[in-house]
Structures are given as C-alpha cells and as structure tokens.
Amino acid sequence: MYFLALKNAFSTVWRSKKLWIIGIFLSLSGTLEEIEFIRKISLLSAKNQAPEFWNELFKTKIFTPEGIKGFLNLFQSKPFSFFQILFFIVLGILLLLFFFWISMISQGSVIRSAAQTKNLENETVKGILKKGKRAFVPIAILNITTKILLFLLLYYLGSYLLSLRFIFLIPLIILLLFVYLTLTFCVKYAICGIMIKQKSLISSLKSSLDLIKNYFKESIKLSLILFFLSVVFLFSYALISLIVFIPFLLIMVAGFFAKIPTIVVITFFLYILSAAILYLIINGFLSVLSWTSWTELYLKIDKKYGR
C-alpha cells in the first residue's frame, strides 16, 4: 500500500512541475520531519534548543526599560532614523507572516491537488494555491500546536538526555522519535481529512488518531522510504554542488592571479546563486513529494477500509 502510494505520488509530482514551485513554499513549514528530528537530536542541549534569534534579540535589551528609553531618545533626536528602524521591523514581521501564511496554504493546496489530479496540468500556480486558502486557520492551528509540543519535548529533555549513559540514551531517543513521528503523522492525516473529507478540526484529529492506531506500520514504512529518498537527494545535491564548484573555483583562481577582483566576486556570486536555486528545486520537489505521498496513502486507506 505504501509503495503504491509513493509510486503514484512520484508520477503526479513528476508530471506537474508547477507543484515544485509550491513545494518551495511548502518547505518553509519544515516538511522533511525525519531529517529535522535528527538535526535537532544532534543539537540537544538547553542552550542549543532555544531559538538563537530570540536569544540574540533579548541580548539587545530592546524590551527592557533602557531599550524603550533608547527608542524614545532616538525618536526625539533622530526621528528619520527611528522611522527607518520601525519600517524594517514592521517589514520583517510582515514578511514572516506572509511566509507562514503561504507555507500553510501550500499544505492544503498540495493535498487537494494530489487528491484531484484530473485537471491538475491545466491549473495555474495561483489556482492551485487558492485551494488551501479556506483551510488556513485549522492547518495553522495544527502546525503551531505540534511545533510547540515538539519544541517543549526536545527543549526540556535535551539536557537530561545528555546526562544519560549511552546504553540508556539510545532507547530514549527511539522513544522520542516514536512520539515525534506520531505527532507528525497525526497532523498529516488530520490535514488530509480537512482538505479531502471536509472534516472539522476536532473530527479530523479523531480520525487521524484512529488511522495511526490501525495503520501505524504503513505510516512508518512510508516515512522511512521518504527519509531514505531525502538523504539520497540531499547527498546528491552536495556532490553535484562540489563538482560544479570546480570550474567556478578555476575561474576565481584565474581572476585572482590576473588581479581582477571583479571576476572573483561575480563568479563566487554566480556559484552561490546557482547552488541556492538547485537547492530550492530539490527541496521543493522533496517537500511536495512527501505531502503527495501522504495524501495518496490516506486515500488508499480510506478507499480500502472506509476510514
């Protein structure tokens, strides 16, 4: 069942290159859960688990009385600079909200498109994205709640895990992985229920728990295959990037010895740009393949067992 779901998903994604673009937005929500979990486990400590952005932000003391007083002084002495800073802060917040919004509706859009592939090739990217707009609120609630729970789980157990002996560490990490995957499975099936079955948030959660209880093995198998594919693709990306870097490096060396720094800078910029574009394409493909595979598995379970 899981292999057929993956096969159908790969066929759908390969035929519909427009989904790759949506996959780039989709990747902003963190689709490759298994790789993300391994990355977080490798950084387990109370210090590393806390978001660096917030740590650095609080170090600036902008939320303290001194920081607020400094802003007021800046407003009085240099109002133009004050509004410049305020503008960039507001712009940054709006961009974060936009990326969050588009990553959430991308989840629903991909699921809906994977479930209705009949006219998918004729649809535009804008038309595909419209499918997920109506379910933004429940999808956002599921994602935010799950990420908070996972963050708290890893944050509070991080320092404790590091103090354990190796013989106890591995079983506990396996248990953590089980909880981590169970929560992510729950979210995926719940969002599928919302988008495909038009269920409410509570109803879709109950249904997803039932699916996990009865078809956990199929979910684990699909998750392992997607993890393996992700590792292969990302390793291939690293290898390709290294090979492609060689001619760029030769050009930069030639520019250096010719004492033409402009060539060095432009060549390095072109390499970074090409590597970034390639990464976005691969990550977009993997993200949309993952969600399409889970949609296919959900559809097959529903068709066979009437869940």
Side-chain angles (χ1 to χ4, degrees):
M1 184 185 296
Y2 62 91
F3 183 77
L4 185 59
L6 181 63
K7 181 181 177 181
N8 292 344
F10 188 87
S11 177
T12 299
V13 174
W14 189 257
R15 289 197 319 267
S16 307
K17 303 296 190 300
K18 296 171 186 176
L19 290 177
W20 298 20
I21 300 175
I22 298 176
I24 295 174
F25 302 132
L26 189 60
S27 64
L28 297 173
S29 60
T31 306
L32 309 178
E33 293 85 3
E34 298 81 4
I35 291 180
E36 185 69 13
F37 177 80
I38 291 175
R39 184 187 70 81
K40 289 179 179 179
I41 285 293
S42 66
L43 297 174
L44 276 178
S45 70
K47 180 179 179 180
N48 289 331
Q49 278 299 302
E52 295 182 7
F53 171 78
W54 293 109
N55 282 339
E56 295 299 324
L57 187 63
F58 283 117
K59 284 180 182 179
T60 62
K61 299 182 179 180
I62 62 173
F63 297 114
T64 61
E66 294 81 2
I68 296 173
K69 184 179 180 180
F71 267 110
L72 292 175
N73 291 335
L74 180 64
F75 174 72
Q76 293 173 353
S77 59
K78 297 180 180 179
F80 182 73
S81 299
F82 172 82
F83 284 111
Q84 274 187 318
I85 295 174
L86 187 62
F87 170 76
F88 285 113
I89 291 175
V90 173
L91 180 62
I93 294 173
L94 290 176
L95 284 174
L96 286 174
L97 291 174
F98 170 75
F99 288 137
F100 174 74
W101 173 77
I102 199 167
S103 66
M104 294 297 102
I105 68 171
S106 294
Q107 290 183 10
S109 301
V110 168
I111 291 172
R112 193 71 175 173
S113 298
Q116 299 175 346
T117 59
K118 188 176 181 181
N119 298 316
L120 183 58
E121 294 181 9
N122 298 323
E123 291 192 71
T124 62
V125 173
K126 183 178 179 180
I128 295 173
L129 284 173
K130 281 184 178 180
K131 298 177 182 180
K133 287 183 178 180
R134 67 167 186 81
F136 166 74
V137 173
I139 291 176
I141 291 173
L142 285 170
N143 277 271
I144 292 173
T145 304
T146 305
K147 289 188 183 299
I148 290 175
L149 289 174
L150 293 174
F151 169 77
L152 292 175
L153 179 68
L154 293 175
Y155 179 81
Y156 286 108
L157 291 180
S159 55
Y160 175 70
L161 282 175
L162 293 175
S163 64
L164 292 176
R165 294 182 179 180
F166 183 78
I167 191 172
F168 300 110
L169 181 62
I170 299 301
L172 193 53
I173 289 179
I174 294 174
L175 178 62
L176 276 175
L177 180 60
F178 173 80
V179 175
Y180 189 93
L181 292 177
T182 300
L183 285 172
T184 55
F185 293 165
C186 183
V187 171
K188 290 181 184 299
Y189 288 139
I191 296 176
C192 284
I194 291 170
M195 294 305 302
I196 298 173
K197 291 293 189 178
Q198 311 293 314
K199 293 182 178 181
S200 65
L201 177 60
I202 302 300
S203 178
S204 63
L205 278 173
K206 291 179 180 178
S207 177
S208 66
L209 291 173
D210 189 39
L211 286 174
I212 293 171
K213 179 181 177 181
N214 293 283
Y215 313 112
F216 190 78
K217 288 183 179 180
E218 286 78 4
S219 302
I220 284 290
K221 290 175 182 177
L222 179 59
S223 181
L224 288 173
I225 293 177
L226 289 172
F227 170 72
F228 175 75
L229 288 175
S230 299
V231 171
V232 170
F233 272 91
L234 293 176
F235 177 78
S236 301
Y237 163 75
L239 186 61
I240 292 171
S241 298
L242 183 62
I243 294 173
V244 171
F245 180 67
I246 295 175
F248 282 95
L249 179 62
L250 294 175
I251 295 173
M252 285 190 290
V253 170
F256 175 78
F257 283 107
K259 297 182 179 180
I260 309 177
T262 305
I263 293 179
V264 178
V265 174
I266 292 176
T267 304
F268 182 73
F269 172 76
L270 290 175
Y271 169 72
I272 295 297
L273 181 63
S274 60
I277 292 173
L278 179 61
Y279 177 78
L280 287 175
I281 293 172
I282 292 176
N283 207 29
F285 173 80
L286 290 174
S287 297
V288 77
L289 177 64
S290 176
W291 272 105
T292 306
S293 299
W294 288 109
T295 304
E296 287 286 347
L297 182 60
Y298 179 90
L299 290 170
K300 293 188 181 308
I301 291 174
D302 181 74
K303 181 179 180 180
K304 188 172 182 179
Y305 300 101
R307 296 287 177 181

